[in-house]
Every structure is written in C-alpha cells, then in structure tokens.
Amino acid sequence: MKEVKSHMRVLRIIGIVAGVLYLIALTWILFNGFQSKMEYGTWMQYMSAHTNFVPFSTISFYLSSFTSGMMNNSIIVRNLLGNLLPFFPMGILLPMVFWRMKRFFWFLLTQFFVIVAFEAIQLFTTTGSFDVDDVLLNLVGAMIGWLIWRGICRVYAGMHRQMTGKSL
C-alpha cells in the first residue's frame, strides 16, 4: 500500500508540473501574437462581429461547409480540432492533481468556468472572440481527456488487483 501511495504522490507532482507548464503554453498560444481586433471602431461593432451566443451555429456551419465543399476542408478540420484539443490535457491533469476533479460533475463545472473565462478574456482584451460553440467543443475535448484518464485508472486498478489480490 505504501508503494501505491508513493506512486500516487509522484504522479501528483508530475501532474502539477505538467499542469503549470500546460497552462503557460495554453495562455501563450491563446493570447500571444494576436493583435487587438478593434479595427471595427466602437465596442458594439466589435461585439457584433466577434461574438456568437447561438449554440451549434458555428459547428453546423462548418459541418455543412464540409459536406457541400463550400470551404477548404483543412480550415474546417483545423478549427474544429483546434477547439477540441486545447483542453484535452486538462481532462488528465486536473484529476491527477485535485481529488475532487475525479468526480465528473466537479470536473465539468470547473472546466466550464475555466473555458468561459478564457473566452471572456479573449473578448474583453479584443484578442479573440467569444463563441459558445468554442466553449462546447473545448468542453467535449476536456471530457474526452477525463474519460481516457478514467479508463487508465480502471486498467491500473485492475492490474493492481490481479497482482496483489487487493483493490486500491
């Protein structure tokens, strides 16, 4: 049992270091190098050009463009995967570091607020846009990461049970 606890402690430290590095990289990717998009003049003009509060409108636009051939498929894939993948690591790192994140509800709630905060910061700093579909795709990416983490934990627990005859 002591061996399992020491492994968990090492994994938690790795998760903390990886999480901090990941957040720094994600913040840099999302905000660095983007010029302010205030060329529209007023705040209201900027808001109308860079916000989408209608769920699935951007996603359905990309999917219909994909099936109709209206848009280059690489642009569609880059935009959809570009919103699925950034929060995927959080699904693995958060439960490694914070025990409460092992519960799906708390994980999902935390991720929702983190993602909305990133979107809002992009909007208010005029370095990006606020798109509810980005929030949805980011959440799906994070959930996929969490499900993979959960599966790895179950496999590990099963292997431990087979080797020792005891559950974790």
Side-chain angles (χ1 to χ4, degrees), residues 6-112:
S6 68
H7 281 118
M8 299 303 260
R9 197 169 303 135
V10 169
L11 279 176
R12 186 163 192 252
I13 291 168
I14 290 170
I16 290 169
V17 171
V20 168
L21 293 174
Y22 163 74
L23 282 175
I24 291 169
L26 183 64
T27 303
W28 186 84
I29 289 167
L30 290 177
F31 300 109
N32 192 32
F34 289 101
Q35 298 284 326
S36 173
K37 295 180 179 171
M38 279 299 285
E39 72 269 3
Y40 289 95
T42 69
W43 180 254
M44 290 308 292
Q45 290 169 327
Y46 173 79
M47 289 286 288
S48 67
H50 293 282
T51 57
N52 169 38
F53 294 105
V54 180
F56 303 107
S57 67
T58 304
I59 295 170
S60 63
F61 169 73
Y62 282 133
L63 293 177
S64 66
S65 295
F66 182 77
T67 57
S68 71
M70 218 169 65
M71 186 184 288
N72 185 332
N73 288 345
S74 66
I75 294 171
I76 297 166
V77 170
R78 188 175 62 230
N79 279 293
L80 293 177
L81 287 180
N83 280 306
L84 278 172
L85 296 179
F87 287 89
F88 172 84
M90 291 300 256
I92 296 167
L93 295 172
L94 279 178
M96 281 176 64
V97 175
F98 303 105
W99 66 269
R100 190 169 283 212
M101 296 300 134
K102 293 176 184 174
R103 297 214 176 246
F104 186 70
F105 171 78
W106 291 112
F107 170 77
L108 194 61
L109 188 65
T110 301
Q111 278 304 110
F112 174 77

